[in-house]
Amino acid sequence: MGVTASVDDCFLGLRGLRTLPTRLARHQASALEVATWLAARPEVREVLYPALPGARGHALWQRDFRLASGLFGIVLNPVSRERIAAMLDGMRLFGMGWSWGGFESLIIPTWPERVRTATQWNPGGPVLRLHIGLEEPCDLIDDLTAGFARLTA
């Protein structure tokens, strides 16, 4: 059909596959540390990360999986869009974007209740989608701490 990958694309894919297990282990460990910290924050209503003990769906995740990625969501307590914008506009380490699987940490507001079709879902507050990258978890936590200060200012 004439659809092929270039030699350079194949090289880059192979290069990434060689370090994939190491990177994914780091993503999971860092995500679990950040998710645990987020679960204790008063601004956070729920952490949507089944790999986190006590999270919704954890027993099912534990039955079927051994590892997780760095991608998860958090539901905030009700707050205005302006406050969320204030939080996100000042992030130093978290970029804004939808991608995941890269080395960088990302955060973005999302509205999954608008696109769900099989079931209705009311999160009870704004939802942020996070991808925890390869940065040090303590640095990411510091960035989120400053963001929550802007959120509640």
Side-chain angles (χ1 to χ4, degrees):
M1 298 196 58
V3 178
T4 62
S6 73
V7 173
D8 289 337
D9 288 338
C10 291
F11 166 76
L12 292 172
L14 180 60
R15 183 181 70 173
L17 285 173
R18 289 178 178 143
T19 60
L20 186 63
T22 303
R23 288 184 287 120
L24 286 177
R26 173 66 186 261
H27 284 298
Q28 177 187 344
S30 296
L32 195 54
E33 186 174 337
V34 173
T36 300
W37 178 82
L38 285 165
R41 291 293 304 196
E43 302 89 352
V44 176
R45 182 183 198 115
E46 182 179 7
V47 176
L48 305 170
Y49 190 50
L52 180 66
R56 184 188 333 191
H58 180 71
L60 183 63
W61 177 87
Q62 198 170 31
R63 183 193 76 190
D64 294 341
F65 299 98
R66 292 182 312 113
L67 302 173
S69 71
L71 182 66
F72 63 92
I74 59 172
V75 179
L76 299 175
N77 290 318
V79 64
S80 71
R81 283 185 160 192
E82 291 78 22
R83 299 300 343 136
I84 293 171
M87 174 188 183
L88 299 181
D89 284 346
M91 301 305 280
R92 293 181 310 102
L93 297 177
F94 283 90
M96 299 263 306
W98 288 102
S99 180
W100 68 82
F103 65 87
E104 65 278 326
S105 292
L106 301 171
I107 188 169
I108 196 161
T110 183
W111 296 270
E113 67 277 10
R114 292 183 184 173
V115 295
R116 289 180 67 118
T117 58
T119 61
Q120 295 295 314
W121 183 56
N122 180 9
V127 179
L128 298 179
R129 182 177 181 267
L130 292 89
H131 173 259
I132 304 301
L134 301 179
E135 301 90 351
E136 287 295 324
C138 61
D139 294 337
L140 296 173
I141 288 170
D142 288 346
D143 202 16
L144 288 166
T145 299
F148 282 130
R150 290 187 301 276
L151 179 81
T152 59

